């Protein structure tokens, strides 16, 4: 707790100015594989129950993965009405968990004994002890022994929380409300201290600050890609118009988490087979891999060039081997991080993650041109989001002042005439001044997107000035 508060008071979050997609993509790639590894580990523990239980758990886990992934595919397709496919996309995964929890009781599967999610009594420690840890009886020597581990844990929380927050406020999300990185670390320190006194796991679950959460709050629409020519002309893509920024969903998640600690819901959670839980880990891992910048770059390299979109930012790179080198470096960083977690020195993996930041800032510019890095890599969040920590490294400070004046912020000041094209949202009022960015490889199209927005904004501003002048002339 004290280390977290020290970071918050000393404005240590200003170090986020050096964080780019390079380290974020590696960390996200690592987390995705940890999810998949966790799912496999859950399945391997089913064998002591018997072969029928183990094989049924494997089948159920794969079915959960397949059905939940299909729900995501339907959400991004043109099947059914808009509200139907959005319901399937948003609630398909939890409904899949509910269905397959009961599915294992159908027919002959009901005779197979499966391991379920272990639970304990409501609001009671899992071990036979009191609520509070008797920290006053700890030896002084033990306190100094714990300090190095506390430093490593603080590094992990500093990077994990801030990077997750950056990804959730990435350049592909046109946010209007500012970030609070320093306050987040202060609050995280408080919850860490309370968890330490209670002897429970540290609450670093970042559901409110996760890209899945932000993505579910996005209002999107289908637009035609005017840069396409030839056979690919007429291709449409889904772009984010604005984000429904509110605190209701965050509060609801906290209340639901608290509610699952109550007796009735604990009984319900105890019914979930561990095979279904493994499938949920697979779903989270696959979804994280699918949208990761490393994965999308590898897909681009493996794609047939004749079917590659001309507007793809990676197509602007003249030196194609630079893409291979950059992806190889990212995979090496992921491999080093993943490898150390499989050893006895696993607690030191945050140091590897932290070293990726100076590697990107000071070493990569020696081997890649600035134009290549602007496409392959870019700041994770927009200048508006990074304003509280001093902006992104190498950015013009004057642009940040313009952002603080509101000129680069999305504004809700227009209405679209095609409400059926809206992919999400309770209102058809959309933001005419939004930055319509495409989440392309999680990388360097933010600069181009920002330029196009500035020109569009100036154009709209000139149109508004012209209309006001005409109105004055009419009144005269």
């Amino acid at each position: 707790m004290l280390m977290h508060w020290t970071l918050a008071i000393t404005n240590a979050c200003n170090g986020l100015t050096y964080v780019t997609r390079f380290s974020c993509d590696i960390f996200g790639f690592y987390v995705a594989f940890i999810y998949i590894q966790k799912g496999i580990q859950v399945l391997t523990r089913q064998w002591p129950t018997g072969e029928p239980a183990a094989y049924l758990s494997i089948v159920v886990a794969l079915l959960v993965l397949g059905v939940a992934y299909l729900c995501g595919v339907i959400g991004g397709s043109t099947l059914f009405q808009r509200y139907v496919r959005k319901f399937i996309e948003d609630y398909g995964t939890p409904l899949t968990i509910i269905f397959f929890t009961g599915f294992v009781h159908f027919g002959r599967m009901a005779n197979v004994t499966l391991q379920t999610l272990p639970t304990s009594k409501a609001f009671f420690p899992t071990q036979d002890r009191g609520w509070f840890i008797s920290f006053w009886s700890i030896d002084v020597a033990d306190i100094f022994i714990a300090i190095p581990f506390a430093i490593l844990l603080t590094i992990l929380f500093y990077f994990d929380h801030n990077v997750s927050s950056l990804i959730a406020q990435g350049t592909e999300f046109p946010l209007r409300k500012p970030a609070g990185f320093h306050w987040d670390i202060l609050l995280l320190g408080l919850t860490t201290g309370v968890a330490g006194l209670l002897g429970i796991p540290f609450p670093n679950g970042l559901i409110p600050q996760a890209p899945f959460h932000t993505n579910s709050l996005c209002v999107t629409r289908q637009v035609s890609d005017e840069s396409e020519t030839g056979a690919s002309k007429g291709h449409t893509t889904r772009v984010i118009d604005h984000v429904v920024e509110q605190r209701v969903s965050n509060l609801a998640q906290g209340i639901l988490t608290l509610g699952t600690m109550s007796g009735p819901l604990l009984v319900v959670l105890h019914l979930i087979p561990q095979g279904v839980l493994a499938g949920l880990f697979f779903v989270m891992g696959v979804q994280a891999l699918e949208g990761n910048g490393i994965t999308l770059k590898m897909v681009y390299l493996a794609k047939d060039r004749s079917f590659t979109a001309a507007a793809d930012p990676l197509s602007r790179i003249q030196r194609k081997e630079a893409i291979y080198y950059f992806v190889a470096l990212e995979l090496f960083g992921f491999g080093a991080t993943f490898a150390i977690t499989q050893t006895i020195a696993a607690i030191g993996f945050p140091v590897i993650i932290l070293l990726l930041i100076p590697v990107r800032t000071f070493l990569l510019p020696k081997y890649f041109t600035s134009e290549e890095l602007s496409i392959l890599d870019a700041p994770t969040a927009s200048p508006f989001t990074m304003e509280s920590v001093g902006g992104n490294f190498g950015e013009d400070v004057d642009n940040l002042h313009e952002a603080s004046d509101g000129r680069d912020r999305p504004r809700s000041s227009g209405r679209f005439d095609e409400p059926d094209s809206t992919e999400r949202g309770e209102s058809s009022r959309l933001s005419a001044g939004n930055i319509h960015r495409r989440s392309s490889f999680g990388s360097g199209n933010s600069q181009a997107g920002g330029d196009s927005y500035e020109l569009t904004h100036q154009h709209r501003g000139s149109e508004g000035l012209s209309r006001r002048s005409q109105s004055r002339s009419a009144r005269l």
Side-chain angles (χ1 to χ4, degrees), residues 3-22:
M3 293 182 182
H4 282 75
W5 284 1
T6 302
L7 292 177
I9 294 172
T10 58
N11 291 337
C13 290
N14 288 350
L16 296 178
T17 186
Y18 299 99
V19 177
T20 63
R21 291 282 184 180
F22 176 76

Side-chain angles (χ1 to χ4, degrees), residues 160-183:
D160 183 23
H161 181 92
N162 286 317
V163 167
S164 298
S165 182
L166 283 175
I167 297 175
Q169 303 175 81
T171 53
E172 65 269 25
F173 301 121
L175 301 175
R176 294 174 295 175
K177 296 182 179 180
F181 298 105
H182 305 294
W183 284 108

Side-chain angles (χ1 to χ4, degrees), residues 74-230:
I74 292 176
S77 67
T78 56
L79 297 174
F80 312 117
Q81 295 295 322
R82 174 182 59 84
Y83 60 88
V84 174
R85 62 176 178 265
K86 291 310 298 178
F87 178 84
I88 294 175
E89 182 181 24
D90 292 341
Y91 301 101
T93 299
L95 291 177
T96 301
I97 300 299
I98 296 174
F99 173 80
F100 281 100
T101 298
F103 176 77
V104 296
H105 298 286
F106 294 169
R108 296 182 180 180
M109 291 183 294
N111 300 324
V112 180
T113 302
L114 296 175
Q115 296 186 38
T116 58
L117 185 65
T119 58
S120 61
K121 292 190 296 183
F123 298 100
F124 195 82
T126 55
Q127 298 180 357
D128 188 13
R129 62 172 179 84
W131 268 105
F132 285 95
I133 299 297
S134 56
F135 58 90
W136 51 85
S137 61
I138 300 177
D139 294 336
V140 176
D142 294 336
I143 296 177
F144 283 96
I145 292 175
I147 289 179
F149 300 98
I151 294 175
L152 290 175
L153 189 64
T154 303
I155 294 174
L156 171 62
F157 277 22
Y158 172 82
F159 191 87
D160 183 23
H161 181 92
N162 286 317
V163 167
S164 298
S165 182
L166 283 175
I167 297 175
Q169 303 175 81
T171 53
E172 65 269 25
F173 301 121
L175 301 175
R176 294 174 295 175
K177 296 182 179 180
F181 298 105
H182 305 294
W183 284 108
D184 286 346
I185 287 294
L186 185 70
L187 179 60
L188 183 60
L190 177 61
T191 57
T192 302
V194 173
L197 294 176
L198 297 178
I200 59 177
F202 300 117
N204 196 27
L206 298 173
I207 295 178
Q209 296 195 23
F212 292 146
H213 183 217
T214 310
N215 190 62
S216 66
L217 299 176
C218 290
V219 177
T220 60
R221 61 193 181 91
Q222 296 287 342
V223 297
S224 59
D225 195 342
E226 298 179 355
S227 62
E228 298 291 350
T229 57

Side-chain angles (χ1 to χ4, degrees), residues 230-242:
S232 59
K233 188 175 182 179
H235 177 264
T236 62
T237 183
R238 188 167 67 166
V239 297
I240 299 175
D241 191 88
H242 69 277

